[in-house]
C-alpha cells in the first residue's frame, strides 16, 4: 500500500503549504473578524489555479484528482478556516456540473468556476428540509421554455456572493423524491434574490444566506442531469462534500494542535514547561492520534472515488469521525491554554466555536451514522 | 529584449542551526530556497519583458538541487533555464563564481541586460554581480530600487545609505536589485506543473561554457572559507533602573565613559 503522493501531488502540496503559511494564516483572525466575504483570499485562490483542481484541463481546470483537492482543502482550512469553507462549498457547484452537465453547460458554467471567475454554491436545505432532504418544497413548474421556481433555501454557504448556484427543486411533488430536479441558476436571474445572512456561532465572514425564488425564471437548458434525477445529483454531490468537510475538520484540528504544542512548550508552571506533565502530554497525544486517523480516513475516501470504487461509506465515516475528533481536539487545545485559551487574545477559542459546524453541516453526524449503518448492514446480508 | 536573471540557491536561513559544541553551521537536512533578492531579480526581468516584449533566461550555478529553483522561475514565466552544475565548479569562491557565470552568460549570448539580487543571504559578500559585470566588460549599477528601460538605455534609481541616486546607462549592462524593487509573483499551479516538464539546459563541465577548468572550483579560488561559526556571547546586557530622567543621565554617562562621542 503506497501512501505517498505522486510528484505532481507533492509539488502542489508544497506550493499550497507555502501559500497558506505566507498569505492565509497571517490574516485568518482578521478575515474572521471583518464579517465580510473574503474576496481578497478567494482572488488569490483563483490566481493560484486552486478553484478547479479536479476539473479537466479541457475545461480550464488543473486536471488533477479528488485526493489532491482534498489535501489542498485540508491545508487551506488549516491556514484560514473561512477560506477553506468557501473552497469546500465552491466544489458543490463544480462537481454536479462536472459530473452531470452537458457540454454546453460545462462550457458556460464549469469554465468560469474552474478559473475562479465565478464562485459556486449549492442550494438544497430549506427551513423544513434539513436532514429530511427529500421533503424539499421549492417548486419548479414548466411555462413555455422556462421553469418557474418558487420557494426558498436557507443556510446556503457562499449564498449571495456566489455567481453560480446548483439548486434542487421539485417538478412533481406528488412523486416525492422522484420529482426532485437539479437546476443551474445565475445570480441576477429574474425572480432570484437573497434573504438574510445568518449570524452564527462562528465563521462570521462566511456567507450563509437565504436563497429566495419568487417566480424565478430558469431556462430549460439549465436543467442539470435529467428531470426527476435531482435526488441522485444531490446525493452524489453531498458524498463529495463530505470528503470536503472531513478534510476541513482535519485542517482545523491540525491548526489547534499547532497552537497547543508550542504553547505547552513555552508556558511554565511549577518550575517547568507544562509540556512535561503527563496530563498535558496525553491530551496532545490523543489530539495527534485522532488527527492522523481522520486524515487517513478522508484521504482513503477521496482515493477510492478517484479509483472509481464505491466511497459513500468511507466518505460518511471520514466526515463523522473527523468532525467529532475536531471538536475534541479544539476543546483540548483550549484546555491546554488554560485561562488564556478562553480569551479572545488567542485563536483557540475561535477554533472550538468553528469546530461545531463540521458536526452539523452537509449531513449531521446522525445522518452519517445512518449512511454507514445502511452500508454495513448490507455488507452482512447473505 | 533578452534579459538574463542570475539565481543562487541557498540554505533556508530561518532553518539554519549551529552545532552547540563547535559553533559551526549545520548544513545537513536544511531545505534549500532561492536567495530572496534573486526572486526580485527574476520578477524584475519578467516585468521588463512583459512591458517591452522579449525573453527571460534564468541562470544558476550550484548543486543539482538548484534545478528546482530554476523550475520555480520557469513557473513564474521565464522562457529558458540554464544550470551550471558539476565537479569542476564545486568549491568556487566569488572570484571563480563570477568567472564561471560570466562564461555562462557569454554562452547564452545575445543579452541586453543581466539582473542579479544585491547579495546572497548565505555569503553576504555582494561581490558576484559586480564581478560578472567586470568580466563581461559591461557597466554595472547596484542596489537598484527602480528600473526603467528605453531606447537601448536603462535608468536605475539606486538606494544608498543616505540618499537615492539616479543613474542612466547604455545597454548591455548588469544591475543588482534590492528587495523593495518589486513583489515577486507567486506562480499558479498550472504554471508550476507545466514548469515541471519544461527542459532545463545543464552544463556540467568547464568545456560546456568555454571556461578554463583551472579558473573554476577550488583551483580557481584564491580564497577559502575555513570556518563559519556563531560568535560566543560573553557579555550580558545591563538593564538600567530608575526614573526615566535618571536612566537617561546614567546612559549618557556610560556612553561617554565608553569613549563614544556625539558628532553633532
Amino acid at each position: 500500500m503506497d501512501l505517498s503522493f505522486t510528484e505532481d501531488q507533492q509539488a502542489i502540496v508544497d506550493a499550497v503549504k507555502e501559500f497558506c503559511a505566507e498569505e492565509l494564516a497571517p490574516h485568518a483572525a482578521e478575515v474572521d473578524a471583518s464579517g465580510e466575504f473574503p474576496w481578497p483570499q478567494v482572488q488569490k485562490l483563483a490566481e493560484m489555479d486552486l478553484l478547479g483542481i479536479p476539473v479537466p484541463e479541457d475545461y480550464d481546470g488543473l486536471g488533477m484528482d479528488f485526493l489532491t483537492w482534498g489535501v489542498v482543502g485540508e491545508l487551506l482550512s488549516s491556514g484560514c478556516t473561512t477560506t477553506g469553507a468557501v473552497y469546500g462549498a465552491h466544489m458543490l457547484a463544480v462537481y454536479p456540473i462536472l459530473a452531470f452537465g452537458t457540454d454546453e453547460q460545462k462550457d458556460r458554467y464549469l469554465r468560469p468556476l474552474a478559473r475562479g471567475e465565478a464562485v459556486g454554491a449549492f442550494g438544497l436545505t430549506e427551513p423544513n428540509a434539513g436532514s429530511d432532504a427529500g421533503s424539499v418544497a421549492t417548486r419548479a413548474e414548466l411555462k413555455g421554455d422556462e421553469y418557474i421556481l418558487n420557494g426558498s433555501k436557507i443556510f446556503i454557504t457562499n449564498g449571495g456572493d456566489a455567481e453560480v448556484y446548483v439548486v434542487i427543486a421539485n417538478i412533481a411533488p406528488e412523486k416525492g423524491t422522484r420529482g426532485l430536479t437539479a437546476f443551474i441558476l445565475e445570480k441576477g436571474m429574474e425572480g432570484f434574490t437573497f434573504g438574510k445572512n445568518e449570524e452564527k456561532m462562528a465563521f462570521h465572514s462566511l456567507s450563509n444566506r437565504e436563497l429566495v425564488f419568487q417566480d424565478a425564471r430558469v431556462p430549460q437548458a439549465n436543467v442539470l442531469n435529467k428531470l426527476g434525477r435531482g435526488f441522485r445529483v444531490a446525493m452524489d454531490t453531498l458524498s463529495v462534500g463530505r470528503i470536503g468537510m472531513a478534510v476541513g475538520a482535519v485542517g482545523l484540528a491540525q491548526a489547534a494542535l499547532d497552537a497547543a504544542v508550542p504553547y505547552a512548550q513555552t508556558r511554565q508552571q511549577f518550575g517547568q514547561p507544562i509540556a512535561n506533565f503527563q496530563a498535558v502530554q496525553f491530551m496532545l497525544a490523543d489530539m495527534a492520534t485522532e488527527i492522523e486517523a481522520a486524515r487517513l480516513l478522508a484521504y482513503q475516501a477521496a482515493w477510492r472515488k478517484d479509483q472509481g470504487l464505491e466511497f459513500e461509506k468511507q466518505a460518511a465515516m471520514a466526515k463523522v469521525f473527523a468532525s467529532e475528533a475536531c471538536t475534541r481536539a479544539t476543546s483540548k487545545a483550549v484546555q491546554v491554554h488554560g485561562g488564556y485559551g478562553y480569551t479572545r487574545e488567542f485563536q483557540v477559542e475561535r477554533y472550538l466555536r468553528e469546530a461545531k459546524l463540521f458536526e452539523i453541516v452537509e449531513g449531521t453526524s446522525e445522518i452519517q451514522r445512518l449512511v454507514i449503518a445502511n452500508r454495513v448492514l448490507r455488507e452482512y446480508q447473505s | 529584449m533578452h534579459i538574463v536573471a542570475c539565481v543562487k540557491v541557498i540554505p533556508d536561513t530561518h532553518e539554519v542551526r549551529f552545532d552547540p559544541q563547535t559553533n559551526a553551521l549545520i548544513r545537513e537536512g536544511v531545505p534549500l530556497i532561492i536567495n530572496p533578492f534573486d526572486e526580485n531579480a527574476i520578477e524584475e526581468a519578467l516585468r521588463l519583458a512583459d512591458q517591452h516584449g522579449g525573453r527571460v533566461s534564468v541562470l544558476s550555478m550550484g548543486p543539482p538541487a538548484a534545478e528546482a529553483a530554476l523550475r520555480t522561475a520557469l513557473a513564474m514565466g521565464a522562457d529558458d533555464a540554464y544550470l551550471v552544475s558539476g565537479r569542476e565548479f564545486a568549491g568556487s569562491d566569488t572570484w571563480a563564481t563570477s568567472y564561471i557565470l560570466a562564461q555562462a552568460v557569454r554562452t547564452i549570448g545575445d543579452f541586453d541586460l543581466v539582473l542579479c539580487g544585491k547579495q546572497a543571504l548565505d555569503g553576504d559578500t555582494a561581490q558576484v554581480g559586480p564581478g560578472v559585470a567586470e568580466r563581461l566588460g559591461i557597466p554595472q549599477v547596484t542596489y537598484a530600487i527602480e528600473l526603467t528601460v528605453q531606447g537601448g538605455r536603462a535608468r536605475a534609481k539606486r538606494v544608498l545609505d543616505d540618499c537615492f541616486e539616479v543613474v542612466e546607462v547604455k545597454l548591455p549592462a548588469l544591475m543588482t536589485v534590492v528587495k523593495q524593487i518589486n513583489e515577486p509573483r507567486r506562480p499558479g499551479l498550472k504554471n508550476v506543473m507545466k514548469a515541471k516538464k519544461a527542459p532545463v539546459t545543464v552544463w556540467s563541465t568547464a568545456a560546456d561554457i568555454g571556461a578554463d577548468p583551472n579558473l573554476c572550483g577550488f583551483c580557481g579560488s584564491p580564497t577559502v572559507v575555513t570556518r563559519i561559526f556563531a560568535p560566543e556571547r560573553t557579555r550580558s546586557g545591563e538593564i538600567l533602573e530608575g526614573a526615566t530622567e535618571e536612566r537617561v543621565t546614567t546612559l549618557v554617562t556610560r556612553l561617554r565613559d565608553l569613549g563614544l562621542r556625539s558628532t553633532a
Side-chain angles (χ1 to χ4, degrees), chain A residues 85-86 88-90 92 120-132 152-162 165-166 193-203 206-213 238 245 357 360-364:
Chain A
V86 172
H90 175 79
L92 301 182
F122 182 70
L124 172 66
T125 304
E126 295 178 358
N128 278 321
S131 290
D132 186 8
S152 66
K153 303 287 183 187
I154 50 163
F155 299 153
I156 305 306
T157 308
N158 296 345
D161 294 288
Y165 297 77
V166 173
T193 55
F194 304 102
K196 70 166 186 161
N197 196 358
E198 296 295 338
E199 279 184 49
K200 308 182 293 289
M201 186 168 136
F203 284 104
L206 190 62
S207 306
N208 285 95
R209 284 194 182 87
E210 246 186 305
L211 308 184
V212 181
F213 312 108
L238 287 176
M245 285 300 106
L357 180 68
I360 297 169
V361 83
E362 258 174 89
T364 59

Side-chain angles (χ1 to χ4, degrees), chain A residues 8 22-23 48-50 60, chain B residues 186-190 193 196:
Chain A
D8 278 349
E22 289 177 14
E23 312 231 18
M48 284 283 287
D49 302 320
L50 289 174
D60 300 339
Chain B
R186 184 179 290 280
L189 293 183
K190 283 187 186 153
M193 289 171 62
K196 288 182 77 252

